[in-house]
Amino acid sequence: MSLPTDVSAAALTPWQMYLTADPVVKAVMIALALASVASWTVLVAKSWELSRLHRGLRRARAALLDAAQLPSDSGDQALRDGAARDLIEAARSELRLCGGGFDPAGIKERIGSRLERIELAHARQWRKGVGLLASIGAIAPFVGLFGTVWGIMNSFVGIAHANATSLAVVAPGIAEALLATALGLVAAIPAVAIYNHFTRALAGLRATLGDVSASVQQSVSRDLDRPHGRAAAAVAAAR
């Protein structure tokens, strides 16, 4: 038995295919739609966050390059926020702990070790949310494929119950199944592209943070290499 042409066309629109889909296929479609929304939400939120962090680190690096010594708490605003503040405070803390009985090589090595751990901690924090994109990109096609397999299986069950092989009987179920695959790709492809974009952006941000860390170490080194370097370092730590 064939369906009228206008009914078939209406039944095969994406919205109608969703409405008439099997509950399992419908659940797959909803999950993939939510995954796609999550990818675009991460893109907007993370782009704003990384842009703000990059601007702050560039300002901090410029301020440190212009500083003749380790900056004080009352220094440039760019040095009193985020990663730059943590790096400078770690250097001051190590100088205070060393007191007056240290040699310059030892203090530089310990400060370098502290700053490296702080860099890693901030890098891990900045990656929050990006892993979701990798998961969506890897899993979404298989979720869509599951919906496709389930839908096609139901189509064959429908053929058996109807005892007919007309295209009008099997086409709607197959169309619903293929829609699930399409939604899987719609969710996965942007997620992978956005993930690759953020991977590059985070690499650049990490490099800028490394420049800030190197500038902090250079400021400490200048303080220690001056005449009466121990006294200069103690003064820097107390500021």
Side-chain angles (χ1 to χ4, degrees), residues 4 11 19 61 85 97 101 126-127 140 168 173 181 185 211 222 228:
L19 292 178
R61 180 171 179 265
R85 177 199 60 207
L97 290 173
W126 294 339
R127 287 191 62 84
T181 296
L185 296 176
D211 292 339
R222 280 193 293 268
H228 309 294

Side-chain angles (χ1 to χ4, degrees), residues 13 39 47-48 56-57 66 79 87 101 134 165 186 202 226 230 234:
T13 61
S39 296
S47 294
W48 178 84
L57 288 175
D66 292 337
L79 303 177
L87 293 170
T165 58
V186 166
L202 286 168
R226 290 191 179 97
R230 294 183 182 183

Side-chain angles (χ1 to χ4, degrees), residues 91-202:
R92 288 204 197 99
S93 175
E94 185 60 39
L95 290 171
R96 286 193 295 267
L97 290 173
C98 288
F102 61 83
D103 66 339
I107 188 65
K108 293 174 188 176
E109 180 181 353
R110 288 190 292 274
I111 285 178
S113 177
R114 279 195 178 212
L115 299 189
E116 181 181 0
R117 303 313 302 173
I118 290 174
E119 289 181 54
L120 291 173
H122 279 278
R124 285 194 298 269
Q125 181 180 355
W126 294 339
R127 287 191 62 84
K128 287 182 178 178
V130 177
L132 175 65
L133 298 172
S135 298
I136 292 173
I139 296 173
F142 296 102
V143 174
L145 182 60
F146 168 75
T148 297
V149 172
W150 188 275
I152 290 176
M153 181 178 66
N154 281 340
S155 295
F156 283 114
V157 171
I159 292 173
H161 284 305
N163 197 24
T165 58
S166 170
L167 184 62
V169 174
V170 70
I174 293 178
E176 294 162 10
L178 293 177
L179 180 61
T181 296
L183 287 176
L185 296 176
V186 166
I189 293 172
V192 172
I194 296 168
Y195 175 80
N196 291 336
H197 164 70
F198 282 137
T199 298
R200 293 189 295 270
L202 286 168

Side-chain angles (χ1 to χ4, degrees), residues 22-103:
D22 179 86
V24 173
V25 179
K26 189 177 292 187
V28 167
M29 292 180 182
I30 292 173
L32 292 171
L34 292 176
S36 182
V37 171
S39 296
W40 293 106
T41 302
V42 171
L43 173 64
V44 173
K46 208 69 181 177
S47 294
W48 178 84
E49 178 189 356
L50 296 186
S51 177
R52 176 180 58 83
L53 289 169
H54 207 174
R55 288 195 303 269
L57 288 175
R58 286 200 303 267
R59 288 196 298 267
R61 180 171 179 265
L64 285 167
L65 289 176
D66 292 337
Q69 56 190 3
L70 193 65
S72 64
D73 289 331
S74 59
D76 193 297
Q77 176 63 35
L79 303 177
R80 300 202 299 270
D81 294 321
R85 177 199 60 207
D86 293 343
L87 293 170
I88 293 171
E89 183 54 38
R92 288 204 197 99
S93 175
E94 185 60 39
L95 290 171
R96 286 193 295 267
L97 290 173
C98 288
F102 61 83
D103 66 339

